[in-house]
């Protein structure tokens, strides 16, 4: 009611003011020029008035957005503080006298004392039957309109049912933070609410944090914003009426025409530059993609020729594999830069051994360095932590990019050195090369996507111009950066810095110690006396997977779509010979892997299901787990990783059978 009354009052005042302004302006104009305004003036003013009404509503909406922004920082902060106060240990069966519960209640009271604008803070919890109950909810000393009421100690009992589960709260239980679009009135007053999912460190949703705010002040702000918008539109009407009889129309038209010409020229220049960059990039990318293809196709033809020795065939296969990996790296770079520009790239923060990651990346590049006769070495400022918190995959990717670049631009006989040190919580890896170096102008544009030092660099050394842009973006996402120093003819130094988290209690070591694994152990094939069904529509992938699985000794059934996969499992169950493991591609005809997995789980299949997916994005992999898969195997299939996944996910079922 309060909102409707103010809205009507604002509109009445606005329309009355516009009518008065029109009469005054008509009178002034007639007095000055002895004639009425043109016939189109009145419709124009009416249109402006209508636009004013719309603008007023828009201003009110902006007030809501400002209100949402003002409180959006509270929710994530409060959620983080709850988790710091052991909220993961809270349960609905907890005693009201439990120290963890009392600490959470005290934390809420401190929030309310520090933010009088907040009416109440509480947590929702979802029951297995779909019901919603309150968990941690301490009454505030303020009423719903922000008025101080005195000390109160009443608490809502743990597990009290919450009956009014609206759409926004339901969406919050699905992981979406949200803010009520309109005020809500109940027995306690007029208020608005915000909901923030409480996510544990392992990704589990523990509940929803609810925050109530008094709505009276917000409604007053909305009304004020609406009145301000109407006042501005009234002034605009005055200007429009005056402009209809003033001689400045010609000058304004000339200014608009000049502005339009300047804008057109700017757009044309921007379009020409964009076209040039696009053409240059497409030409470069076409060259990079085409370069490995002749080798792949040519050596594939050689493999088909009779009379080839085993040594020649092995060398042909190694060449095809090397060129295929190069092509895959180009594709991965394109996917990474597209995800970064779309804001879809994410990094992990897990424990890993930084020296092991650096050594692993360096060993991969030793062959390339040896081929160019470039000395590649590493050094460390000991002591260094045995474990840090970062994303090992992305750290490895950055080092490979930076060291690979250094090798590429270092001539024969030169050297590339990696020096690792720790400064506080920042891990620093400096890559120095004795290569061709760069001018300051070339260094300035070095980290731009699709660019290299200059066109001659692209012609001579190749490359997509994406590696350094990807590396810097990843480093910044990991709390650090990549910088470069260079001098023509004297080499370059690229410095990677990343935040490695809290090192309190982490063991330090004074030398590099890595477990050695023999080639035979690394390539060991597990022996599996199990039954496996594989869903894969690509005949080439079928042959590859079947070849790998036959080496394990497993019994394998191969099908080409999701429906056939379900039928094969049903037939095996009917014969009392159930499958121990399911491997399924997620993009198949008839019935895809997601639906097939859901159907298998719904039908009672409890064995491990591994997804075969070429999708690199975390969201796609999460879909596999959500559908019911236990894990996933990436395509192209890596033999070592494939066998490791089989061994991990078949050990537990076999042990249960034996028991």
């Amino acid at each position: 009611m309060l909102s409707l009354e103010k809205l009507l009052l604002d509109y009445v005042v606005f329309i009355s003011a516009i009518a008065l302004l029109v009469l005054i302006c008509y009178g002034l104009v007639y007095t000055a020029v002895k004639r009425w305004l043109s016939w189109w003036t009145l419709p124009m003013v009416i249109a402006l008035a209508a636009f004013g009404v719309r603008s007023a509503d828009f201003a009110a909406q902006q007030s809501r957005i400002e209100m949402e922004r003002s409180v959006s920082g509270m929710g994530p902060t409060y959620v983080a503080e709850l988790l710091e106060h052991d909220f993961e240990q809270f349960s609905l069966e907890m005693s009201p006298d439990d120290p963890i519960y009392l600490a959470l209640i005290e934390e809420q009271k401190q929030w309310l004392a520090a933010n009088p604008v907040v009416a109440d803070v509480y947590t929702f919890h979802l029951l297995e039957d779909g019901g919603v109950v309150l968990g941690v909810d301490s009454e505030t000393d303020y009423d719903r309109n922000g008025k101080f009421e005195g000390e109160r100690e009443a608490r809502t009992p743990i597990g009290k049912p919450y009956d009014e589960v609206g759409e926004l709260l339901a969406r919050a239980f699905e992981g979406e933070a949200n803010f009520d679009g309109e005020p809500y009135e109940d027995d306690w007053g007029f208020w608005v609410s915000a909901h923030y999912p409480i996510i544990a460190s392992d990704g589990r949703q523990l509940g929803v944090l609810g925050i109530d705010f008094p709505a009276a002040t917000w409604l007053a702000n909305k009304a004020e914003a609406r009145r301000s918008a109407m006042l501005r539109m009234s002034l605009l009407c005055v200007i429009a009426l005056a402009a209809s009889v003033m001689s400045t129309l010609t000058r304004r038209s000339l200014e608009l025409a000049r502005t339009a010409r300047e804008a057109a020229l700017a757009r044309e220049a921007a379009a020409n530059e964009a076209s040039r960059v696009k053409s240059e990039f497409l030409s470069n990318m076409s060259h990079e993609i085409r370069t490995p293809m002749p080798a792949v196709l040519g050596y594939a033809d050689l493999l088909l020729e009779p009379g080839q020795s085993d040594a020649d065939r092995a060398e042909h296969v190694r060449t095809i594999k090397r060129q295929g990996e190069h092509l895959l790296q180009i594709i991965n770079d394109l996917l990474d830069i597209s995800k970064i520009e779309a804001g879809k790239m994410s990094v992990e923060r897990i424990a890993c051994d930084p020296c092991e990651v650096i050594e692993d990346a360096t060993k991969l590049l030793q062959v390339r360095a040896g081929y160019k006769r470039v000395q590649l070495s590493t050094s460390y400022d000991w002591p260094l932590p045995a474990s840090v918190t970062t994303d090992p995959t992305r750290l490895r990717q950055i080092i490979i990019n930076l060291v690979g670049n250094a090798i590429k631009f270092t001539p024969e006989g030169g050297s590339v050195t990696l020096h690792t040190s720790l400064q506080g919580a920042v891990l620093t890896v400096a890559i120095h090369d004795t290569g061709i170096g760069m001018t300051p102008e070339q260094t300035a544009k070095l980290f731009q996507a699709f660019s290299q030092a200059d066109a001659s660099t692209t012609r001579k050394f190749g490359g997509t111009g994406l590696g350094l842009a990807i590396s810097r973006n990843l480093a910044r996402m990991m709390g650090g950066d990549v910088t470069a120093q260079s001098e023509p003819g004297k080499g370059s130094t690229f410095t990677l810095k990343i935040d490695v988290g809290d090192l309190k209690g982490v063991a330090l070591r004074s030398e590099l110690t890595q477990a050695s694994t023999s080639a035979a152990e690394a390539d060991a094939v597990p022996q599996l006396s199990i039954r496996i069904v594989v869903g894969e529509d690509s005949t080439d992938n079928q042959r590859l997977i079947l070849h790998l699985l036959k080496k394990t000794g497993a019994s394998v059934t191969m099908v080409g779509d999701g429906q056939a996969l379900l039928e094969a499992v049903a037939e095996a169950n009917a014969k009392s010979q159930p499958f121990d493991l399911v491997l399924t591609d997620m993009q198949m005809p008839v019935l895809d892997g997601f639906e097939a997995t859901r159907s298998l789980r719904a039908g009672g299949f409890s064995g491990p299901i591994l997804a075969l997916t070429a999708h690199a994005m975390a969201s796609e992999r999460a879909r596999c787990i959500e559908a019911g898969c236990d894990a996933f195997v990436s395509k192209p299939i890596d033999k070592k990783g494939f066998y490791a996944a089989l061994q991990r996910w078949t050990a537990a079922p076999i042990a249960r059978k034996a028991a």
Side-chain angles (χ1 to χ4, degrees):
M1 181 63 68
L2 178 62
S3 178
L4 180 60
E5 288 176 352
K6 288 191 174 184
L7 180 63
L8 292 175
L9 178 61
D10 290 339
Y11 285 172
V12 170
V13 171
F14 179 70
I15 294 172
S16 300
I18 291 296
L20 181 60
L21 283 171
V22 170
L23 291 175
I24 292 174
C25 289
Y26 264 68
L28 290 175
V29 170
Y30 185 77
T31 302
V33 299
K34 303 301 180 183
R35 59 174 295 179
W36 299 111
L37 295 178
S38 302
W39 65 269
W40 50 264
T41 305
L42 185 57
M44 179 185 67
V45 173
I46 294 174
L48 285 172
F51 182 72
V53 173
R54 179 61 179 166
S55 176
D57 288 340
F58 177 77
Q61 179 68 11
Q62 289 299 112
S63 176
R64 188 197 74 81
I65 295 174
E66 291 176 6
M67 174 68 174
E68 181 175 357
R69 288 175 179 170
S70 69
V71 303
S72 61
M74 295 182 184
T77 301
Y78 290 173
V79 167
E81 292 182 6
L82 282 177
L83 294 173
E84 288 179 1
H85 284 75
D86 296 329
F87 186 79
E88 293 187 43
Q89 306 301 321
F90 173 79
S91 71
L92 296 176
E93 293 76 26
M94 182 174 283
S95 168
D97 297 324
D98 191 282
I100 293 178
Y101 173 67
L102 294 176
L104 294 172
I105 288 292
E106 185 61 29
E107 183 68 13
Q108 284 190 348
K109 292 174 66 177
Q110 292 180 13
W111 296 343
L112 297 172
N115 296 284
V117 69
V118 177
D120 200 1
V121 182
Y122 43 86
T123 64
F124 294 109
H125 301 266
L126 189 63
L127 301 178
E128 292 183 358
D129 61 3
V132 174
V133 297
L134 293 169
V136 184
D137 182 12
S138 177
E139 291 292 338
T140 172
D141 294 334
Y142 295 83
D143 66 10
R144 294 285 179 168
N145 294 315
K147 182 179 178 182
F148 183 81
E149 289 189 334
E151 294 291 331
R152 292 189 296 177
E153 291 296 332
R155 296 189 205 126
T156 300
I158 298 176
K160 179 182 178 181
Y162 188 80
D163 298 326
E164 300 181 6
V165 181
E167 179 185 354
L168 292 180
L169 179 55
R171 282 158 48 187
F173 276 110
E174 296 176 357
E176 172 187 315
N178 53 63
F179 179 78
D180 279 1
E182 293 298 334
Y184 177 80
E185 187 174 16
D186 62 9
D187 296 338
W188 296 278
F190 215 65
W191 51 282
V192 292
S193 297
H195 306 97
Y196 298 89
I198 306 174
I199 307 299
S201 58
D202 59 2
R204 293 178 297 111
Q205 182 164 344
L206 305 176
V208 172
L209 175 67
I211 308 178
D212 291 346
F213 305 90
T217 302
W218 180 33
L219 290 176
N221 291 339
K222 287 178 65 176
E224 179 61 29
R226 187 180 291 111
R227 283 192 291 270
S228 298
M230 290 179 176
L231 181 60
R232 289 193 297 270
M233 290 309 303
S234 299
L235 181 60
L236 183 59
C237 288
V238 173
I239 295 174
L241 287 168
S244 65
V245 293
M246 294 175 64
S247 60
T248 57
L249 287 175
T250 303
R251 288 197 300 272
R252 182 174 293 275
S253 298
L254 292 175
E255 290 173 1
L256 291 174
R258 184 173 63 253
T259 301
R261 286 197 300 272
E262 291 174 354
L265 291 174
R267 287 195 298 270
E268 183 179 357
N272 290 337
E273 176 64 15
S275 178
R276 184 193 66 79
V277 172
K278 177 182 177 182
S279 298
E280 191 173 286
F281 168 68
L282 289 177
S283 176
N284 184 28
M285 191 56 58
S286 175
H287 170 76
E288 287 298 313
I289 293 176
R290 287 174 179 272
T291 297
M293 290 310 298
V296 172
L297 298 176
Y299 280 97
D301 287 338
L302 289 178
L303 284 174
L304 298 175
E305 289 184 359
Q308 296 282 325
S309 67
D310 291 343
D312 288 340
R313 291 184 184 277
E315 182 61 29
H316 298 341
V317 170
R318 283 192 290 268
T319 301
I320 293 172
K321 187 174 186 296
R322 185 169 59 250
Q323 296 297 330
E325 289 173 347
H326 174 60
L327 184 59
L328 181 61
Q329 182 59 49
I330 295 172
I331 296 172
N332 286 339
D333 282 351
L334 288 172
L335 292 175
D336 281 348
I337 200 66
S338 66
K339 285 191 288 184
I340 289 172
E341 293 187 346
K344 300 296 185 181
M345 178 67 79
S346 61
V347 297
E348 295 181 300
R349 293 196 67 83
I350 60 177
C352 66
D353 184 336
C355 298
E356 182 178 327
V357 174
I358 293 169
E359 286 294 316
D360 181 48
T362 307
K363 287 179 180 179
L364 287 175
L365 295 166
Q366 283 289 1
V367 175
R368 188 187 306 180
Y371 179 77
K372 283 197 67 177
R373 297 184 181 179
V374 171
Q375 182 180 357
L376 176 59
S377 60
T378 59
S379 63
Y380 300 88
D381 272 350
W382 306 109
L384 290 172
S387 176
V388 299
T389 302
T390 187
D391 189 325
T393 301
R394 297 305 181 185
L395 175 58
R396 180 175 179 271
Q397 179 180 354
I398 295 171
I399 292 174
I400 289 175
N401 272 337
L402 297 180
V403 177
N405 263 2
I407 295 172
K408 180 167 65 173
F409 293 108
T410 299
E412 181 179 336
S415 65
V416 176
T417 304
L418 284 79
H419 184 74
T420 304
S421 60
L422 186 72
Q423 300 172 358
V426 177
L427 183 72
T428 301
V429 183
I431 297 98
H432 176 72
D433 65 67
T434 59
I436 60 176
M438 294 171 289
T439 65
E441 293 77 14
Q442 292 172 331
T443 306
K445 65 176 184 178
L446 196 60
F447 293 98
Q448 299 174 10
F450 314 120
S451 68
Q452 293 184 328
D454 53 39
S456 63
T457 301
T458 303
R459 290 192 299 270
K460 184 176 181 180
F461 296 98
T464 62
L466 299 177
L468 290 178
I470 293 171
S471 297
R472 168 169 279 185
N473 276 281
L474 290 176
R476 289 178 173 176
M477 293 173 68
M478 295 162 67
D481 201 356
V482 176
T483 57
Q485 292 180 331
S486 186
E487 187 175 345
K490 295 186 178 180
S492 305
T493 298
F494 286 82
T495 303
L496 164 66
K497 294 185 177 183
I498 58 170
D499 179 12
V500 293
D502 186 8
L503 297 177
K504 185 177 180 180
V506 175
L508 299 177
R509 63 183 184 184
S510 57
E511 61 179 350
L512 188 64
T513 56
Q514 289 181 299
S516 61
T517 302
S518 67
E521 291 173 333
D523 293 334
V525 178
Q527 296 304 302
L528 308 173
S529 299
I530 60 174
R531 290 170 50 79
I532 301 176
V533 60
V534 181
E536 171 62 62
D537 60 312
S538 168
T539 54
D540 290 335
N541 284 337
Q542 285 183 355
R543 285 195 295 269
L544 173 61
I545 295 169
L546 187 60
H547 173 75
L548 295 175
L549 290 178
K550 280 187 174 180
K551 289 185 176 182
T552 69
S555 173
V556 182
T557 299
M558 188 75 64
V559 295
D561 60 70
Q563 185 60 44
L565 179 65
L566 296 180
E567 293 172 356
V569 171
E571 182 179 350
N573 290 338
K575 294 179 179 179
S576 298
Q577 296 178 338
F579 290 107
D580 300 292
L581 174 71
V582 174
L583 285 168
T584 176
D585 181 33
M586 305 313 287
Q587 304 294 333
M588 291 189 294
V590 185
L591 191 68
D592 65 24
F594 297 102
E595 290 301 322
T597 300
R598 293 189 186 98
S599 298
L600 286 173
R601 292 306 189 198
F605 184 81
S606 60
I609 301 178
L610 305 187
L612 297 169
T613 174
H615 288 289
M617 296 183 68
S619 59
E620 287 296 327
R621 295 182 173 184
R623 283 184 63 202
C624 298
I625 304 301
E626 183 181 356
C629 296
D630 294 289
F632 50 82
V633 177
S634 298
K635 294 179 180 179
I637 293 175
D638 173 67
K639 181 173 65 174
K640 181 179 177 182
F642 181 68
Y643 284 145
L646 288 178
Q647 195 162 29
R648 175 187 176 189
W649 290 101
T650 57
I654 293 173
R656 284 197 296 268
K657 283 182 181 179

